[in-house]
Amino acid sequence: MKAYVLNAAGGTDVLQLTDVRQPRPAAGDVLLRNEAISINPVDIKTRKGGAFFNKLMEAPPVILGWDVAGTVEAVGEGVTQWKVGDRLFGMVNFPGAGRAYAEYVTAPATHFARIPDGISTEEAAATTLAALTAWQVLVHRGGLRAGQRVLIHAAAGGVGHFAVQIAKQVGAEVIGTASAANHDYLRRLGASEVIDYHNDDFRKLASDIDLVLDPVGGDTALHSLDVLRPGGVLVSIVGGAREPVAQEAERRCLRAENYLVQSSGPDMEDLARLLEAGHLKATIGHRFSFAEMAAAHAQVETGHTRGKVVLSL
């Protein structure tokens, strides 16, 4: 099969389309014929030598990516919930070796959910790592409830645009930060207030916040403590809750924690139900073919993508 193999850290030129052996499903696994994948910032960081690069290099060939959508080609021993021909999507083997940049992918059957009727494989592939992150942070870690106020930074991005919709479905009041060009878009998704991070200090416009979702880190994480109500929670998905943020949060009787998304079939099923009901919709800001992997990486690397970047195989 064709796959993008990473032999060294570096720029987009290190992503080499190569012939590799097609995997076989082990017991408990599914072999998926991959039809669409999405790209995430963690892919870029890993390609450049950060994130999970060293760990992945221990078991070559290194094939990046975790977000997949496609059709079941075969199932391993013991798999009863899926059969050949089923349309599935998921974030697979995260934070291990997902090997999504390939024509075929194997992963535990428990990492997938069925793609709802009427949802394309591109839409499904987009609603994976980013959507799972938003779901797990808001629902599981943050315990967001109806009537609470949530501040979502970078609200028009991959994680952010899903988080706005999920928080709205929970019944929370949603405040987002984004560039002015994305304000109307975010209001359509369900944000009640949008703050221009280029020109405004969110600390002056947001207050009494129950939960902050931080995909930015740095000063944004630290300054977010200023808008939390007593007992409020900051959850960072980029390590923003390390010292001195964690120490300052404790001093103020706030909770600040870092969170890394985990593969979860049950959570994927929750997302599938939201997709099917029309309560969650992926924004695909850019579409590429599988041959355009370098261009897809370059787009994500700009840091200014509305929604998700998706490639079709």
Side-chain angles (χ1 to χ4, degrees), residues 1-5 14-19 101-103 290-291:
M1 68 174 184
K2 295 289 187 182
Y4 280 93
V5 174
V14 301
L15 295 165
Q16 297 295 317
L17 190 58
T18 308
D19 287 310
Y101 294 6
E103 293 177 318
F290 193 51

Side-chain angles (χ1 to χ4, degrees), residues 78 139 167 172 175 213 221 268:
V139 175
I175 300 97
L213 192 163
M268 288 301 307

Side-chain angles (χ1 to χ4, degrees), residues 251-264:
R251 188 184 71 80
R252 301 188 195 188
C253 298
L254 303 171
R255 193 174 107 223
E257 64 176 79
N258 297 311
Y259 184 73
L260 182 65
V261 64
Q262 301 291 316
S263 294
S264 169

Side-chain angles (χ1 to χ4, degrees), residues 30-111:
V30 163
L31 174 66
L32 194 77
R33 177 166 51 82
N34 215 0
E35 297 171 20
I37 63 177
S38 72
I39 312 298
N40 297 286
V42 67
D43 301 30
I44 311 305
K45 294 175 184 176
T46 304
R47 186 205 77 218
K48 296 168 79 171
F52 309 111
F53 177 80
N54 290 334
K55 182 175 178 60
L56 294 180
M57 288 298 288
E58 294 174 1
V62 177
I63 301 172
L64 287 180
W66 291 273
D67 291 352
V68 298
T71 304
V72 176
E73 189 81 3
V75 297
E77 181 182 354
V79 175
T80 58
Q81 67 267 53
W82 310 122
K83 64 182 185 302
V84 173
D86 284 344
R87 298 174 67 237
L88 305 182
F89 71 129
M91 179 195 75
V92 297
N93 292 318
F94 194 84
R99 298 191 168 100
Y101 294 6
E103 293 177 318
Y104 292 88
V105 173
T106 56
T110 55
H111 289 182

Side-chain angles (χ1 to χ4, degrees), residues 287-300:
R287 289 177 166 86
F288 296 92
S289 70
F290 193 51
E292 297 175 302
M293 182 63 73
H297 265 238
Q299 175 57 45
V300 174

Side-chain angles (χ1 to χ4, degrees), residues 10-262:
T12 57
D13 59 311
V14 301
L15 295 165
Q16 297 295 317
L17 190 58
T18 308
D19 287 310
V20 299
R21 187 183 300 275
Q22 181 179 311
R24 294 181 180 180
D29 283 357
V30 163
L31 174 66
L32 194 77
R33 177 166 51 82
N34 215 0
E35 297 171 20
I37 63 177
S38 72
I39 312 298
N40 297 286
V42 67
D43 301 30
I44 311 305
K45 294 175 184 176
T46 304
R47 186 205 77 218
K48 296 168 79 171
F52 309 111
F53 177 80
N54 290 334
K55 182 175 178 60
L56 294 180
M57 288 298 288
E58 294 174 1
V62 177
I63 301 172
L64 287 180
W66 291 273
D67 291 352
V68 298
T71 304
V72 176
E73 189 81 3
V75 297
E77 181 182 354
V79 175
T80 58
Q81 67 267 53
W82 310 122
K83 64 182 185 302
V84 173
D86 284 344
R87 298 174 67 237
L88 305 182
F89 71 129
M91 179 195 75
V92 297
N93 292 318
F94 194 84
R99 298 191 168 100
Y101 294 6
E103 293 177 318
Y104 292 88
V105 173
T106 56
T110 55
H111 289 182
F112 293 99
R114 190 183 306 278
I115 300 174
D117 293 340
I119 301 297
S120 71
T121 51
E122 287 185 336
E123 292 173 295
T127 315
T128 41
L129 187 150
L132 269 179
T133 300
W135 179 263
Q136 291 176 2
V137 166
L138 297 180
V139 175
H140 297 321
R141 302 305 305 171
L144 188 65
R145 303 186 304 276
Q148 291 188 321
R149 287 166 57 82
V150 59
L151 173 63
I152 299 167
H153 289 297
V159 173
H161 88 288
F162 286 121
V164 169
Q165 297 173 76
I166 291 168
K168 182 68 174 179
Q169 282 304 305
V170 169
E173 183 180 355
V174 184
I175 300 97
T177 64
S179 62
N182 285 313
H183 285 200
D184 288 343
Y185 161 70
L186 289 171
R187 290 189 182 98
R188 291 194 297 272
L189 291 185
S192 57
E193 298 177 43
V194 190
I195 299 168
D196 183 354
Y197 68 86
H198 285 300
N199 298 309
D200 297 316
D201 184 344
F202 70 87
R203 293 174 294 177
K204 297 179 180 179
L205 299 173
S207 61
D208 204 28
I209 300 296
D210 295 279
L211 173 63
V212 175
L213 192 163
D214 166 42
V216 180
D219 287 342
T220 297
L222 180 61
H223 294 163
S224 292
L225 300 179
D226 295 337
V227 305
L228 285 170
R229 65 162 180 80
V233 182
L234 164 71
V235 182
S236 178
I237 60 173
V238 290
R242 293 188 294 264
E243 302 297 348
V245 176
Q247 184 178 22
E248 180 62 19
E250 184 177 4
R251 188 184 71 80
R252 301 188 195 188
C253 298
L254 303 171
R255 193 174 107 223
E257 64 176 79
N258 297 311
Y259 184 73
L260 182 65
V261 64
Q262 301 291 316

